Amino acid sequence: EWNIPENNSIVYSTEMIKFNNFRISRDQQEIFIDNTSGNTEKDHVALNFDHFDLATIFSYFNPETELAGGDMNGKLVLEEPFGSSAMLADLEIRNFRVMEAPLGVLTLDASAKGGGNYAMDLSTKGGELDMDLTGEYTSSEVAAQLDLDLQINELQLSVLERFSQGEIKETSGSIAGNVKIGGTTLEPEYSGTLNFEDAGFNVSRLNADFELRQETIDIDNDGIYLDNFILRDTNDNQFVVSGEILTETYLNPEFNLSLEASDFNALNSTREDNDLFFGKANFDVDARITGDLYLPRIDGRLKVNSNTDLTYIMPDAELEMMERDGIVRFVNREDLDDILTGDNEEVTAVVSGMIVNTLIEIDRDAVFTIVIDDNTGDNFRVAGEGELTFTIASNGRTNLSGRYVMNRGHYEMSLYELVKRRFEIVDGSSISWSGDPMEASLDISALYKVETSATSLMAGGPTRNDLGRFRQELPFEVFLNVDGELMRPELSFNLEMPEEQQGAIGGEVYGRIQQLNQQEEELNKQVFSLLVLNRFFPDGGSDGSRGGTMNIARDNLNQALSDQLNRFSDQLVGDTGIELDFGVDSFTDYQGDSPQERTQLDITAQRRLMDDRLIVSVGSQVDVQGSNPTGESAPMIGNVSLEYLLTEDGRFRLKGFRRNMYENVIDGQIIVSGIALIFTREFNKFKELFEKEIQESQKEK
């Protein structure tokens, strides 16, 4: 898209390339190039810019992102580009910007002072960077001699925010400083100071705010120096860094740093900030970093404080986390060329190893959550305390020793996406390490509590008439035990009853529980039934008086199905004032020539009228399996009841009803009608039934 007039010419020879008034133009912008050579003049290349858009040049390097831009006007002359090179300039770039950061107006003035000496004045004004680079330099065929002064009057932190590509946000304050530059272009010498002035920023992935109020960094050719460099969190807690980073060679700097912090908040994020880990992290640290970039060494103590509540989302297997590139790469120190023969095309930093010796303390109130399956919501949440020693040897071998003891928490799991159950972690559960971090020893117990009838559990023993004693609901405890190693856990279950309930019903139920714990297959079946149905599965030794094990199991499933239908009805009717109730009943009908299995779905609609004093219920049965052998179909409305609250609190009620029901083998399907006077009284203790009305009124007040 560039235009080159016909009279332009370029002369090429083995000694030089000569532009003779060479002009190119594009969209109102023009570059004029001219160079001359002779016995009396130095070789030079002159570039004249007329409203040239600086972004045009950088667009060739990265067409998708504007690296730099601005309206450039003026002249730039390069003298003896292949000899004692020097620069003459009278150049101005308006609307100068780098990575979309507005830096104002950049001006460059360079002039000859004679004797090979040149003066330079480079500045940016009117934007987010106020800077002056002034001084002199002496040209030379080997390397120019420098005498420059870089004065950073103000560098707003918003410039760094744009350069960070979203990693830093909500910046405020600025950086100022002065750097003296001497030496030569091949071996420059510099020294100076950078000052942070009320600088504040937020690290996006951590969503944590930090401040650098009046902090200073000193720099020179030998290193970077930090003297009580303080980073503050939102609660004004300090993270102090002192020491030096020696840069005698930039490829392998040496470290001598001390780190101290107390009650420091380093994380305050949500799932929106980071979908891998989020929450709150608070810690104390006292550590030293020594060594060099090839083999850094970290020694110290880290304490995780009680304000920590950290959640980690385990990524899906297809993310292939092991293939993610890292900044640290361990190699065989006996074969240092190994890093050259690896399959990575580029290495971010040459770290051949790392030495770490740390003592990690965890406060008993620090909470950690691991989301095992983000789709089902399965998660492990725990709090506990421990002291762990973590080390990394120079050859990359890691070692972890110590014990983490849990005092509370839960394991929440879904069973085949049917139901969700929550196991409470038993106090005293622990994880122990004595070497490889992945070879931890597990000793974890989790508890799920359920209240249910023991009728199905005891069905194989007492007669049917005696089973009524076991209909009362009793508390049972399901323990999930996790033993073995971290990578090869061993899972087992056992059933228990609270100590105060072990003697219930003559201790027969607890005796049966102890038997189950010795029969692994039967135990697992009962545990699964309790977790899924909140009921015991009927014993295979049932006497068959209710149709055998199949019918009893079907009764369990009927109750579970009824519960799900009733939950669905609550969502269906909403706030209409109508209550729907579902029930599923299975039985053996003997009215016909031969017994048949029948299942009926009971549907009842209920509405309260007259300020909730009158309750009207209508419903019917629908045959799901089998039918009435007499040939009579169930009426559209087979069940009707009217219930009136004689007293406002509902203690005395009058009820009339008509009910279609299957009574027993002899009577079969019958219709029952009647009227009832109902007295209802709620109490916590039997003695409350006999207290006077006045005493009860006072208690209610």
mmCIF file of all heavy atoms in Angstrom, residues 305-339:
data_model
loop_
_atom_site.group_PDB
_atom_site.id
_atom_site.type_symbol
_atom_site.label_atom_id
_atom_site.label_comp_id
_atom_site.label_asym_id
_atom_site.label_seq_id
_atom_site.Cartn_x
_atom_site.Cartn_y
_atom_site.Cartn_z
ATOM 1 N N ASN A 305 -2.692 -19.218 59.263
ATOM 2 C CA ASN A 305 -3.478 -18.715 60.389
ATOM 3 C C ASN A 305 -4.956 -19.063 60.283
ATOM 4 O O ASN A 305 -5.437 -19.558 59.256
ATOM 5 C CB ASN A 305 -3.301 -17.200 60.512
ATOM 6 C CG ASN A 305 -1.884 -16.826 60.901
ATOM 7 O OD1 ASN A 305 -1.224 -17.544 61.645
ATOM 8 N ND2 ASN A 305 -1.403 -15.703 60.392
ATOM 9 N N SER A 306 -5.679 -18.735 61.352
ATOM 10 C CA SER A 306 -7.086 -19.135 61.476
ATOM 11 C C SER A 306 -8.003 -18.440 60.480
ATOM 12 O O SER A 306 -9.088 -18.945 60.189
ATOM 13 C CB SER A 306 -7.578 -18.851 62.900
ATOM 14 O OG SER A 306 -7.437 -17.472 63.213
ATOM 15 N N ASN A 307 -7.591 -17.296 59.942
ATOM 16 C CA ASN A 307 -8.445 -16.581 58.990
ATOM 17 C C ASN A 307 -8.421 -17.196 57.596
ATOM 18 O O ASN A 307 -9.009 -16.644 56.665
ATOM 19 C CB ASN A 307 -8.037 -15.105 58.903
ATOM 20 C CG ASN A 307 -8.319 -14.355 60.186
ATOM 21 O OD1 ASN A 307 -9.220 -14.718 60.926
ATOM 22 N ND2 ASN A 307 -7.540 -13.318 60.465
ATOM 23 N N THR A 308 -7.748 -18.307 57.445
ATOM 24 C CA THR A 308 -7.635 -18.965 56.142
ATOM 25 C C THR A 308 -8.860 -19.829 55.867
ATOM 26 O O THR A 308 -9.277 -20.618 56.710
ATOM 27 C CB THR A 308 -6.368 -19.825 56.088
ATOM 28 O OG1 THR A 308 -5.219 -18.984 56.238
ATOM 29 C CG2 THR A 308 -6.282 -20.581 54.775
ATOM 30 N N ASP A 309 -9.434 -19.663 54.694
ATOM 31 C CA ASP A 309 -10.542 -20.505 54.217
ATOM 32 C C ASP A 309 -10.354 -20.655 52.712
ATOM 33 O O ASP A 309 -10.864 -19.870 51.922
ATOM 34 C CB ASP A 309 -11.889 -19.871 54.545
ATOM 35 C CG ASP A 309 -13.055 -20.820 54.278
ATOM 36 O OD1 ASP A 309 -12.840 -21.836 53.590
ATOM 37 O OD2 ASP A 309 -14.179 -20.548 54.735
ATOM 38 N N LEU A 310 -9.606 -21.677 52.334
ATOM 39 C CA LEU A 310 -9.143 -21.834 50.953
ATOM 40 C C LEU A 310 -9.875 -22.984 50.274
ATOM 41 O O LEU A 310 -10.042 -24.056 50.855
ATOM 42 C CB LEU A 310 -7.641 -22.091 50.942
ATOM 43 C CG LEU A 310 -6.943 -22.156 49.587
ATOM 44 C CD1 LEU A 310 -7.034 -20.822 48.873
ATOM 45 C CD2 LEU A 310 -5.480 -22.549 49.776
ATOM 46 N N THR A 311 -10.317 -22.747 49.036
ATOM 47 C CA THR A 311 -11.004 -23.769 48.237
ATOM 48 C C THR A 311 -10.184 -24.066 46.985
ATOM 49 O O THR A 311 -9.742 -23.147 46.291
ATOM 50 C CB THR A 311 -12.410 -23.306 47.832
ATOM 51 O OG1 THR A 311 -13.194 -23.089 49.007
ATOM 52 C CG2 THR A 311 -13.098 -24.342 46.963
ATOM 53 N N TYR A 312 -10.007 -25.357 46.722
ATOM 54 C CA TYR A 312 -9.274 -25.799 45.529
ATOM 55 C C TYR A 312 -10.204 -26.657 44.685
ATOM 56 O O TYR A 312 -10.821 -27.609 45.175
ATOM 57 C CB TYR A 312 -8.034 -26.590 45.932
ATOM 58 C CG TYR A 312 -7.318 -27.241 44.770
ATOM 59 C CD1 TYR A 312 -6.613 -26.473 43.849
ATOM 60 C CD2 TYR A 312 -7.355 -28.619 44.582
ATOM 61 C CE1 TYR A 312 -5.955 -27.067 42.784
ATOM 62 C CE2 TYR A 312 -6.702 -29.219 43.523
ATOM 63 C CZ TYR A 312 -6.001 -28.439 42.628
ATOM 64 O OH TYR A 312 -5.364 -29.024 41.570
ATOM 65 N N ILE A 313 -10.333 -26.322 43.395
ATOM 66 C CA ILE A 313 -11.171 -27.067 42.462
ATOM 67 C C ILE A 313 -10.282 -28.036 41.701
ATOM 68 O O ILE A 313 -9.390 -27.624 40.958
ATOM 69 C CB ILE A 313 -11.892 -26.125 41.468
ATOM 70 C CG1 ILE A 313 -12.628 -25.002 42.213
ATOM 71 C CG2 ILE A 313 -12.849 -26.927 40.591
ATOM 72 C CD1 ILE A 313 -13.806 -25.469 43.010
ATOM 73 N N MET A 314 -10.520 -29.329 41.888
ATOM 74 C CA MET A 314 -9.736 -30.304 41.141
ATOM 75 C C MET A 314 -10.142 -30.256 39.675
ATOM 76 O O MET A 314 -11.319 -30.423 39.348
ATOM 77 C CB MET A 314 -9.950 -31.707 41.701
ATOM 78 C CG MET A 314 -9.376 -31.905 43.092
ATOM 79 S SD MET A 314 -9.444 -33.620 43.650
ATOM 80 C CE MET A 314 -8.293 -34.385 42.512
ATOM 81 N N PRO A 315 -9.209 -30.001 38.755
ATOM 82 C CA PRO A 315 -9.554 -29.891 37.332
ATOM 83 C C PRO A 315 -9.915 -31.248 36.745
ATOM 84 O O PRO A 315 -9.527 -32.299 37.261
ATOM 85 C CB PRO A 315 -8.271 -29.339 36.698
ATOM 86 C CG PRO A 315 -7.188 -29.784 37.621
ATOM 87 C CD PRO A 315 -7.771 -29.803 39.009
ATOM 88 N N ASP A 316 -10.675 -31.201 35.651
ATOM 89 C CA ASP A 316 -11.034 -32.428 34.950
ATOM 90 C C ASP A 316 -9.782 -33.071 34.361
ATOM 91 O O ASP A 316 -8.795 -32.411 34.042
ATOM 92 C CB ASP A 316 -12.036 -32.137 33.825
ATOM 93 C CG ASP A 316 -13.365 -31.643 34.379
ATOM 94 O OD1 ASP A 316 -13.662 -31.978 35.542
ATOM 95 O OD2 ASP A 316 -14.071 -30.919 33.660
ATOM 96 N N ALA A 317 -9.860 -34.371 34.155
ATOM 97 C CA ALA A 317 -8.697 -35.106 33.650
ATOM 98 C C ALA A 317 -8.262 -34.602 32.286
ATOM 99 O O ALA A 317 -7.077 -34.585 31.962
ATOM 100 C CB ALA A 317 -9.026 -36.601 33.578
ATOM 101 N N GLU A 318 -9.231 -34.141 31.476
ATOM 102 C CA GLU A 318 -8.863 -33.734 30.122
ATOM 103 C C GLU A 318 -8.052 -32.453 30.085
ATOM 104 O O GLU A 318 -7.504 -32.087 29.054
ATOM 105 C CB GLU A 318 -10.106 -33.592 29.242
ATOM 106 C CG GLU A 318 -11.144 -32.627 29.764
ATOM 107 C CD GLU A 318 -12.197 -33.329 30.588
ATOM 108 O OE1 GLU A 318 -11.882 -34.404 31.153
ATOM 109 O OE2 GLU A 318 -13.320 -32.824 30.667
ATOM 110 N N LEU A 319 -7.964 -31.753 31.205
ATOM 111 C CA LEU A 319 -7.160 -30.538 31.211
ATOM 112 C C LEU A 319 -5.672 -30.849 31.137
ATOM 113 O O LEU A 319 -4.867 -29.988 30.786
ATOM 114 C CB LEU A 319 -7.450 -29.730 32.479
ATOM 115 C CG LEU A 319 -8.848 -29.124 32.587
ATOM 116 C CD1 LEU A 319 -8.994 -28.332 33.875
ATOM 117 C CD2 LEU A 319 -9.130 -28.225 31.402
ATOM 118 N N GLU A 320 -5.307 -32.092 31.505
ATOM 119 C CA GLU A 320 -3.920 -32.536 31.413
ATOM 120 C C GLU A 320 -2.974 -31.539 32.067
ATOM 121 O O GLU A 320 -2.101 -30.943 31.439
ATOM 122 C CB GLU A 320 -3.522 -32.754 29.948
ATOM 123 C CG GLU A 320 -4.351 -33.843 29.276
ATOM 124 C CD GLU A 320 -3.960 -34.040 27.835
ATOM 125 O OE1 GLU A 320 -3.096 -33.302 27.354
ATOM 126 O OE2 GLU A 320 -4.517 -34.937 27.200
ATOM 127 N N MET A 321 -3.176 -31.355 33.368
ATOM 128 C CA MET A 321 -2.391 -30.375 34.108
ATOM 129 C C MET A 321 -0.893 -30.673 34.041
ATOM 130 O O MET A 321 -0.069 -29.780 34.136
ATOM 131 C CB MET A 321 -2.845 -30.355 35.563
ATOM 132 C CG MET A 321 -4.278 -29.883 35.757
ATOM 133 S SD MET A 321 -4.464 -28.156 35.351
ATOM 134 C CE MET A 321 -3.529 -27.416 36.675
ATOM 135 N N MET A 322 -0.545 -31.935 33.874
ATOM 136 C CA MET A 322 0.864 -32.275 33.867
ATOM 137 C C MET A 322 1.598 -31.698 32.673
ATOM 138 O O MET A 322 2.818 -31.609 32.668
ATOM 139 C CB MET A 322 1.028 -33.800 33.872
ATOM 140 C CG MET A 322 0.483 -34.470 35.126
ATOM 141 S SD MET A 322 1.300 -33.876 36.619
ATOM 142 C CE MET A 322 2.931 -34.537 36.340
ATOM 143 N N GLU A 323 0.872 -31.282 31.635
ATOM 144 C CA GLU A 323 1.521 -30.771 30.435
ATOM 145 C C GLU A 323 1.686 -29.260 30.461
ATOM 146 O O GLU A 323 2.177 -28.669 29.528
ATOM 147 C CB GLU A 323 0.728 -31.178 29.195
ATOM 148 C CG GLU A 323 0.736 -32.688 28.944
ATOM 149 C CD GLU A 323 0.068 -33.031 27.634
ATOM 150 O OE1 GLU A 323 -0.311 -32.079 26.914
ATOM 151 O OE2 GLU A 323 -0.080 -34.213 27.336
ATOM 152 N N ARG A 324 1.261 -28.616 31.560
ATOM 153 C CA ARG A 324 1.371 -27.166 31.608
ATOM 154 C C ARG A 324 2.828 -26.771 31.806
ATOM 155 O O ARG A 324 3.557 -27.355 32.602
ATOM 156 C CB ARG A 324 0.517 -26.607 32.749
ATOM 157 C CG ARG A 324 -0.966 -26.909 32.567
ATOM 158 C CD ARG A 324 -1.790 -26.356 33.681
ATOM 159 N NE ARG A 324 -1.848 -24.903 33.616
ATOM 160 C CZ ARG A 324 -2.560 -24.178 34.473
ATOM 161 N NH1 ARG A 324 -3.235 -24.756 35.426
ATOM 162 N NH2 ARG A 324 -2.589 -22.872 34.379
ATOM 163 N N ASP A 325 3.270 -25.765 31.078
ATOM 164 C CA ASP A 325 4.644 -25.313 31.180
ATOM 165 C C ASP A 325 4.850 -24.616 32.504
ATOM 166 O O ASP A 325 3.990 -23.873 32.960
ATOM 167 C CB ASP A 325 4.970 -24.350 30.026
ATOM 168 C CG ASP A 325 4.940 -25.073 28.699
ATOM 169 O OD1 ASP A 325 5.164 -26.292 28.667
ATOM 170 O OD2 ASP A 325 4.702 -24.386 27.692
ATOM 171 N N GLY A 326 6.011 -24.812 33.128
ATOM 172 C CA GLY A 326 6.304 -24.175 34.403
ATOM 173 C C GLY A 326 7.583 -23.386 34.324
ATOM 174 O O GLY A 326 8.377 -23.513 33.403
ATOM 175 N N ILE A 327 7.782 -22.553 35.334
ATOM 176 C CA ILE A 327 8.984 -21.733 35.348
ATOM 177 C C ILE A 327 10.171 -22.505 35.914
ATOM 178 O O ILE A 327 11.317 -22.188 35.680
ATOM 179 C CB ILE A 327 8.731 -20.456 36.171
ATOM 180 C CG1 ILE A 327 9.893 -19.471 35.978
ATOM 181 C CG2 ILE A 327 8.561 -20.773 37.648
ATOM 182 C CD1 ILE A 327 9.627 -18.135 36.568
ATOM 183 N N VAL A 328 9.894 -23.562 36.687
ATOM 184 C CA VAL A 328 10.956 -24.365 37.292
ATOM 185 C C VAL A 328 11.024 -25.710 36.597
ATOM 186 O O VAL A 328 10.005 -26.364 36.409
ATOM 187 C CB VAL A 328 10.703 -24.562 38.800
ATOM 188 C CG1 VAL A 328 11.783 -25.452 39.393
ATOM 189 C CG2 VAL A 328 10.681 -23.221 39.503
ATOM 190 N N ARG A 329 12.193 -26.113 36.229
ATOM 191 C CA ARG A 329 12.373 -27.418 35.600
ATOM 192 C C ARG A 329 13.563 -28.100 36.241
ATOM 193 O O ARG A 329 14.673 -27.571 36.244
ATOM 194 C CB ARG A 329 12.611 -27.252 34.100
ATOM 195 C CG ARG A 329 12.769 -28.603 33.394
ATOM 196 C CD ARG A 329 13.014 -28.403 31.919
ATOM 197 N NE ARG A 329 13.295 -29.683 31.283
ATOM 198 C CZ ARG A 329 13.859 -29.805 30.101
ATOM 199 N NH1 ARG A 329 14.194 -28.735 29.440
ATOM 200 N NH2 ARG A 329 14.084 -30.989 29.593
ATOM 201 N N PHE A 330 13.355 -29.292 36.820
ATOM 202 C CA PHE A 330 14.425 -30.037 37.449
ATOM 203 C C PHE A 330 15.130 -30.899 36.405
ATOM 204 O O PHE A 330 14.496 -31.500 35.553
ATOM 205 C CB PHE A 330 13.878 -30.926 38.571
ATOM 206 C CG PHE A 330 13.327 -30.143 39.719
ATOM 207 C CD1 PHE A 330 11.959 -30.018 39.898
ATOM 208 C CD2 PHE A 330 14.178 -29.510 40.601
ATOM 209 C CE1 PHE A 330 11.448 -29.286 40.948
ATOM 210 C CE2 PHE A 330 13.671 -28.783 41.658
ATOM 211 C CZ PHE A 330 12.312 -28.665 41.841
ATOM 212 N N VAL A 331 16.475 -30.964 36.503
ATOM 213 C CA VAL A 331 17.253 -31.779 35.575
ATOM 214 C C VAL A 331 18.199 -32.660 36.374
ATOM 215 O O VAL A 331 18.399 -32.476 37.574
ATOM 216 C CB VAL A 331 18.063 -30.902 34.591
ATOM 217 C CG1 VAL A 331 17.150 -30.023 33.779
ATOM 218 C CG2 VAL A 331 19.084 -30.061 35.346
ATOM 219 N N ASN A 332 18.786 -33.610 35.694
ATOM 220 C CA ASN A 332 19.772 -34.492 36.304
ATOM 221 C C ASN A 332 21.070 -33.718 36.478
ATOM 222 O O ASN A 332 21.740 -33.363 35.517
ATOM 223 C CB ASN A 332 19.982 -35.715 35.406
ATOM 224 C CG ASN A 332 20.940 -36.708 36.038
ATOM 225 O OD1 ASN A 332 21.470 -36.482 37.121
ATOM 226 N ND2 ASN A 332 21.140 -37.819 35.352
ATOM 227 N N ARG A 333 21.449 -33.466 37.735
ATOM 228 C CA ARG A 333 22.644 -32.651 37.972
ATOM 229 C C ARG A 333 23.923 -33.392 37.580
ATOM 230 O O ARG A 333 24.983 -32.781 37.458
ATOM 231 C CB ARG A 333 22.711 -32.212 39.429
ATOM 232 C CG ARG A 333 21.600 -31.244 39.797
ATOM 233 C CD ARG A 333 21.783 -30.702 41.204
ATOM 234 N NE ARG A 333 23.060 -30.031 41.369
ATOM 235 C CZ ARG A 333 23.322 -28.804 40.960
ATOM 236 N NH1 ARG A 333 22.384 -28.109 40.324
ATOM 237 N NH2 ARG A 333 24.500 -28.253 41.160
ATOM 238 N N GLU A 334 23.840 -34.695 37.414
ATOM 239 C CA GLU A 334 25.016 -35.431 36.946
ATOM 240 C C GLU A 334 25.193 -35.287 35.445
ATOM 241 O O GLU A 334 26.233 -35.601 34.899
ATOM 242 C CB GLU A 334 24.888 -36.905 37.333
ATOM 243 C CG GLU A 334 24.869 -37.128 38.849
ATOM 244 C CD GLU A 334 24.718 -38.590 39.201
ATOM 245 O OE1 GLU A 334 24.603 -39.405 38.257
ATOM 246 O OE2 GLU A 334 24.728 -38.922 40.396
ATOM 247 N N ASP A 335 24.155 -34.823 34.756
ATOM 248 C CA ASP A 335 24.219 -34.618 33.309
ATOM 249 C C ASP A 335 23.559 -33.281 33.022
ATOM 250 O O ASP A 335 22.394 -33.202 32.675
ATOM 251 C CB ASP A 335 23.512 -35.753 32.562
ATOM 252 C CG ASP A 335 23.606 -35.579 31.040
ATOM 253 O OD1 ASP A 335 24.386 -34.703 30.604
ATOM 254 O OD2 ASP A 335 22.907 -36.301 30.326
ATOM 255 N N LEU A 336 24.307 -32.197 33.205
ATOM 256 C CA LEU A 336 23.743 -30.861 33.080
ATOM 257 C C LEU A 336 23.311 -30.551 31.661
ATOM 258 O O LEU A 336 22.529 -29.633 31.428
ATOM 259 C CB LEU A 336 24.762 -29.817 33.553
ATOM 260 C CG LEU A 336 25.132 -29.901 35.042
ATOM 261 C CD1 LEU A 336 26.120 -28.814 35.410
ATOM 262 C CD2 LEU A 336 23.884 -29.795 35.901
ATOM 263 N N ASP A 337 23.820 -31.302 30.662
ATOM 264 C CA ASP A 337 23.402 -31.081 29.283
ATOM 265 C C ASP A 337 22.011 -31.626 29.021
ATOM 266 O O ASP A 337 21.457 -31.448 27.940
ATOM 267 C CB ASP A 337 24.390 -31.735 28.306
ATOM 268 C CG ASP A 337 25.736 -31.030 28.327
ATOM 269 O OD1 ASP A 337 25.746 -29.826 28.672
ATOM 270 O OD2 ASP A 337 26.745 -31.676 28.018
ATOM 271 N N ASP A 338 21.448 -32.290 30.039
ATOM 272 C CA ASP A 338 20.118 -32.883 29.869
ATOM 273 C C ASP A 338 19.095 -31.823 29.495
ATOM 274 O O ASP A 338 18.165 -32.079 28.744
ATOM 275 C CB ASP A 338 19.706 -33.601 31.159
ATOM 276 C CG ASP A 338 18.292 -34.130 31.083
ATOM 277 O OD1 ASP A 338 18.068 -35.084 30.323
ATOM 278 O OD2 ASP A 338 17.414 -33.565 31.761
ATOM 279 N N ILE A 339 19.271 -30.618 30.005
ATOM 280 C CA ILE A 339 18.292 -29.567 29.720
ATOM 281 C C ILE A 339 18.344 -29.148 28.260
ATOM 282 O O ILE A 339 17.384 -28.603 27.710
ATOM 283 C CB ILE A 339 18.539 -28.359 30.653
ATOM 284 C CG1 ILE A 339 17.304 -27.456 30.649
ATOM 285 C CG2 ILE A 339 19.764 -27.572 30.250
ATOM 286 C CD1 ILE A 339 17.326 -26.399 31.721
#
